[in-house]
Each structure stands twice: as structure tokens, then as C-alpha cells.
Amino acid sequence: MTPRRSLTHGKARPSAAGLFCAMALGASALLSGCAEPEEFAATITDVRTFSTLSEFLGGYWTRPIPAQGATAGALTELDASLQPDSCGTCHVQQYADWQTTVHSEAYSPGLSGQLVTQEESNHGFVRSCLTCHAPLSEQQAKLPQADGRYLANPDYDPALRDHGMVCAACHARGGKRYGPPRRDGSTSPSAEGSPHGGVTRSAYFEDSRFCAGCHQFSGNLPAPNGKYLENTFAEWEASRYPAEGTSCQSCHMPDRRHLWRGIHDPEMTASGVTIEWIGPAAGQVGLRVTNTGTGHMFPTYVTPSVIVRVSLRDGDNNDIPGASREARIVRQVASQPGGWVEISDTRLAPDSSMTLTLPLPDGASSALGEVIVLPDDFYRNQFEGMLSRTMTDSARVLIGQAHERSVASPYHILNDTIPLGR
């Protein structure tokens, strides 16, 4: 009996704290591990075409993404808008997809609950988190200056910030719009009079490195046991998938859908693994879980965990005491005074398996196999610790909401009972 899953598109569960910041343990309760912001860039000019990969990755992804500037004034109000619902006026399907995603809630209660007490006193820290969670300059209340000061941002839009990773974060630069090649692969200029004044098309939008700016930590960020806390691009790069031409977008944006399904989506998660019953034979029964379709570690990152459990029952369908076993697939890390440490890493690399078996005692009539995904396991523990400490009322409300989400997030990708023929 081998459950195999195919990809379908359900509504994604929002993450408790956003995608990329890993929270520190201990009394500080601050985020630690946010992506480093790029050097401050005050302007962006229309002449930049991002024609090489180096220019694209280094210039296009300068963050905070510089304000759209005066060139946006040549556009109509709708064309110039950075609001996602404005984009949805014409890009109906993309907007509908985006609304179901974790990207749309990247500025989540778990994140904002921690930043609310930092916004007036620790601008650099806030900015380091917004680098990925709300990367537009227009989403930031204060911006760094060349002399190191932080000044109020006249273009700040708190409603835009609350939308998190918005359409414009990927598609708007300097009042211009950028996107992937047409479906036929062409990148020729848009026709005169096109919306937004035309779209500059680039094959780099279909390259996994487009996603790496947020889905891969680098530089001086924590890397316990030689692996960054957010290490997804490196995991993919070390797999067979790059050679096979399978990019991040191949799985997470099928048919160019703006879905970005991941660990919070049961069917997406189940589609990445094969689960098989072992036995009953040779006096034992168990489960094997194989990473057959996840293009990186299963699961990636340090926040989720997956429980594999086998339990035996008697002829009256009662649990047999002591006749159960479980294992956890997880990268367990902790922040200690000397820095982050890795406690264990039992995750599955692409094409690898884990097997869990237990012996069959007398009287065992059936076996229950479960594979339970806890998308926000690390966050849930952290939020519980934070709620036990002193914090402002506004922060407590937000962290409380995030904790409720994390508690509600687990789901099964296998919950199956088989007879043992005894």
C-alpha cells in the first residue's frame, strides 16, 4: 500500500511568523537570523536594464527596493499603484492566487508582534526583517541615510506594508514593470501604448536564483554545523534537480500560477514524498517515507517538523500498551549564549528515506500509520515562551494571534490502518 499524491491547489495556511526570520531563544524574544539588508541605495534610474545576471541579482534586488520615484508620475494612477488590488484589476488570476499565499501575509502577526516594540528604537533591526517580509521602500516607516541616520519616509504606506510580499516587490522598479518572457519565450519590447508603458521581460524571472535572495541566507548570518538557518537554495543546488532543469518556479509556480505552495499546504507537502507500508512480515511492521519529489531537504528550514508514528491495536481496536513508535523528521536548532547550535538534523535529502518499524506482539490485529506535519512547530514553542514574559498589550495581542495559528496548523498526510492478518 503506497500512498502517492498529486499536486492540487488548495488555500495555503499562513505561517505564524512569516517565512524567513528565525526567533532567538531566551529572554530577548527577538528575531535572529533575518536576511541582511543590502547597502543603502537612494535612487534607481530608468537606464538600468539589468541585462546581465550579476546586474540583475545585485541591482534588481537592492533592498530596501528604492522608491519608485518621479518616473511613476508619467503613468496613470492605476498603472502607478503599488497596491495588490490595483494589480488585480487586470491580473485577475494572479491576484486571486496571491491572496491565498503565505507571501500575502509575510508581514504576519508573529512578525509584527515582535517588531511593534522595536519600530521607534531599533530601526536597523526592523529593516533587516523587512528586507524579505516587506521589501519596498514604500513599506518602511523610516529609511536609512548615507550618514547612518534613519529619517521618516514621506512615501510610507502602512497598508502596503501590512500586505507583506506584494506584486510590486517582484515586478516594479523605478516606475517601470518587469516580468518573465512571454509563454513563447520571446522578450521583445511591448507594443507602444501598452499598460505601464510596457514590460521589460527577462529570463532571470524563471531562474531559481531569483528566489534565493530571501530563501537563502548568506554572509555572516548564523550557520550552525555549516548550514544556514535558511538554506533552501543551497539544498536545491546540491540535488539532481538543477541538472534536470527543475527550478523553484517549476514546482512552486506551476503553469506560472502565483501560488507558492509549501509546507503549509497538505497536498503540496504530500506530493513531495512517497509513503509505504513495510510488512507485516518477519514479525514486524512499519512505514518508510522517501523524499521522491521535494527539490530540497524534506522539510526545508528549521521551523517545521514531521512526525512518523506506527501504533498497534488488538482485535477490539484498542491500543496495545507499549506497542507504538514514532520518529521526528526535523532540523532542531537552538540559540545559546555563544550563538546558534544544531542539536540534530533528521531531514530527508532528495531521494533519501527514513524507515520506522516495530515488532509485532501477540494479539496485534491492526496497525495505524500516521505522518503528521507541524508547519510551525518551532514558532509555536517560541510564542508560548514569549507569552509567558512581559510585553506590551499590542504585542501580546499579535503574538497571541500567531500562537493560535501555529497551534491550528498541524495536519496529516497519512492516517491509515491496515490489518495484520493475525
Side-chain angles (χ1 to χ4, degrees):
M1 185 180 300
T2 307
R4 292 182 182 268
R5 320 286 176 156
S6 60
L7 176 63
T8 60
H9 308 303
K11 178 175 174 60
R13 298 169 183 260
S15 73
L19 293 176
F20 316 121
C21 289
M23 287 170 293
L25 301 172
S28 65
L30 298 181
L31 295 173
S32 175
C34 296
E36 293 280 6
E38 303 293 337
E39 292 299 315
F40 175 68
T43 60
I44 189 168
T45 63
D46 291 343
V47 298
R48 300 182 71 171
T49 59
F50 311 110
S51 58
T52 67
L53 176 64
S54 176
E55 185 181 34
F56 188 86
L57 297 177
Y60 195 86
W61 282 117
T62 295
R63 288 171 290 172
I65 295 166
Q68 297 305 301
T71 55
L75 303 175
T76 67
E77 182 177 353
L78 182 62
D79 279 341
S81 176
L82 303 178
Q83 296 294 336
D85 58 349
S86 295
C87 302
T89 302
C90 297
H91 302 282
V92 177
Q93 183 64 64
Q94 291 87 342
Y95 176 62
D97 286 348
W98 172 85
Q99 286 181 297
T100 71
T101 67
V102 177
H103 277 186
S104 71
E105 297 205 7
Y107 194 81
S108 62
L111 177 68
S112 57
Q114 294 169 87
L115 297 188
V116 68
T117 58
Q118 303 292 316
E119 288 178 331
E120 293 303 318
S121 60
N122 195 348
H123 308 304
F125 172 76
V126 172
R127 176 176 174 249
S128 71
C129 294
L130 297 186
T131 292
C132 284
H133 288 266
L136 294 174
S137 289
E138 290 85 353
Q139 292 177 300
Q140 306 198 17
K142 295 190 177 183
L143 291 177
Q145 308 300 303
D147 60 5
R149 294 181 300 157
Y150 281 80
L151 299 180
N153 178 11
D155 298 317
Y156 173 55
D157 184 342
L160 186 65
R161 178 202 62 185
D162 292 349
H163 285 311
M165 192 67 177
V166 295
C167 316
C170 288
H171 294 288
R173 297 293 185 274
K176 292 186 174 183
R177 300 297 179 262
Y178 294 80
R182 296 179 181 85
R183 287 183 179 270
D184 65 5
S186 65
T187 58
S188 56
S190 302
E192 187 175 348
S194 297
H196 310 299
V199 176
T200 300
R201 301 182 180 276
S202 170
Y204 302 136
F205 275 78
E206 299 178 320
D207 191 303
S208 290
R209 286 166 291 194
F210 187 91
C211 309
C214 285
H215 290 274
Q216 178 64 50
F217 288 168
S218 61
N220 295 324
L221 291 173
N225 200 22
K227 297 172 290 186
Y228 287 106
L229 297 179
E230 173 75 3
N231 206 41
T232 305
F233 177 80
E235 294 167 5
W236 168 84
E237 197 171 30
S239 75
R240 60 180 165 85
Y241 292 96
E244 294 175 358
T246 303
S247 65
C248 306
Q249 295 89 331
S250 301
C251 294
H252 295 283
M253 296 185 69
D255 195 32
R256 296 195 174 188
R257 296 287 298 278
H258 285 52
L259 294 163
W260 305 297
R261 297 292 186 252
I263 194 66
H264 289 85
D265 185 77
E267 295 191 58
M268 180 67 176
T269 302
S271 73
V273 295
T274 296
I275 307 169
E276 304 168 283
W277 278 104
I278 299 173
Q284 65 179 6
V285 68
L287 290 174
R288 178 181 293 116
V289 180
T290 305
N291 179 354
T292 50
T294 307
H296 41 69
M297 300 293 280
F298 175 81
T300 192
Y301 204 21
V302 298
T303 57
S305 65
V306 178
I307 297 172
V308 181
R309 180 187 297 146
V310 178
S311 307
L312 302 183
R313 295 173 173 175
D314 61 24
D316 296 322
N317 204 33
N318 295 317
D319 290 333
I320 299 176
S324 66
R325 187 170 292 174
E326 74 175 39
R328 192 172 290 254
I329 305 173
V330 63
R331 184 184 182 196
Q332 189 177 6
V333 297
S335 177
Q336 298 180 352
W340 285 87
V341 296
E342 181 178 275
I343 299 170
S344 65
D345 189 352
T346 58
R347 298 174 302 159
L348 303 180
D351 304 313
S352 68
S353 301
M354 66 85 62
T355 301
L356 178 70
T357 60
L358 72 165
L360 293 174
D362 292 338
S365 179
S366 62
L368 169 65
E370 299 174 273
V371 179
I372 308 165
V373 180
L374 295 81
D376 300 313
D377 197 24
F378 181 81
Y379 287 140
R380 177 183 58 79
N381 293 328
Q382 295 307 299
F383 292 143
E384 289 174 359
M386 294 170 68
L387 290 169
S388 70
R389 298 189 287 268
T390 301
M391 66 178 68
T392 65
D393 290 344
S394 58
R396 183 170 296 278
V397 168
L398 291 165
I399 297 301
Q401 292 174 359
H403 179 252
E404 290 177 3
R405 289 183 175 189
S406 67
V407 169
S409 64
Y411 58 86
H412 281 78
I413 57 173
L414 179 77
N415 189 4
D416 190 30
T417 300
I418 61 168
L420 297 177
R422 296 166 65 93

